[in-house]
Amino acid sequence: MTSTNEPRANGANGTAAARPAAPSSVRAAGAIVAIEGVVAVVWGVVELVRGLTGAAESARGAYGMAFWFIPLGAAVLAGGIALLKGRRWGRTVGVLTNVLLGFTGISGAFAQGRPEIGVPIILLAVVVLALMFSPQTVAWLDGEYRRD
């Protein structure tokens, strides 16, 4: 069984065909997902520092935020970098992250009454998901994408 990142065999003669480079939609989504990961890691570090210095209202809450944001942000950053490098597994991380961000934005915009925060999050999630499910990206995932 071969990895999804390895070239596929042509079949008849067993030679491997190189996977085409990722389309611009994948690279753009990868850049956005990587930025989302960086933001999460930085936010986690800021919360950790606030907890350590006593600047947070609740040190336990700050440590909890850091506990989740640093490793999850690092995973999202890795997914974004994978997309930039044309690795298919990064798409799963990007899609999952942005579905969750979309719901977070909906909660912020409507349930929490903060549309100035929630609506931009929703728009960002929609842009990334549109890139992830664009015809170019789907063709690339199926191995049918060819650069013109």
Side-chain angles (χ1 to χ4, degrees):
M1 177 180 223
T2 60
S3 166
T4 57
N5 292 324
E6 294 177 13
R8 295 181 184 178
N10 284 341
N13 60 7
T15 60
R19 175 174 287 286
S24 58
S25 59
V26 172
R27 291 191 313 273
I32 296 170
V33 171
I35 291 168
E36 291 169 347
V38 168
V39 168
V41 169
V42 168
W43 191 340
V45 169
V46 167
E47 288 297 319
L48 180 62
V49 169
R50 289 182 67 224
L52 291 171
T53 61
E57 289 182 31
S58 165
R60 187 180 303 178
Y63 294 144
M65 290 282 285
F67 176 80
W68 286 107
F69 273 63
I70 293 171
L72 291 176
V76 171
L77 175 60
I81 291 170
L83 286 170
L84 287 169
K85 290 183 173 184
R87 304 282 197 258
R88 294 180 350 162
W89 67 265
R91 183 174 183 255
T92 302
V93 175
V95 168
L96 180 60
T97 298
N98 283 281
V99 165
L100 294 173
L101 276 176
F103 286 120
T104 301
I106 290 169
S107 173
F110 303 108
Q112 305 300 319
R114 299 292 307 263
E116 70 278 5
I117 295 173
V119 170
I121 292 172
I122 294 167
L123 293 175
L124 180 66
V126 167
V127 166
V128 172
L129 290 171
L131 290 168
M132 294 288 198
F133 290 99
S134 71
Q136 274 186 330
T137 301
V138 173
W140 174 72
L141 288 169
D142 289 340
E144 298 171 4
Y145 175 75
R146 299 285 177 247
R147 276 198 179 186
D148 296 331

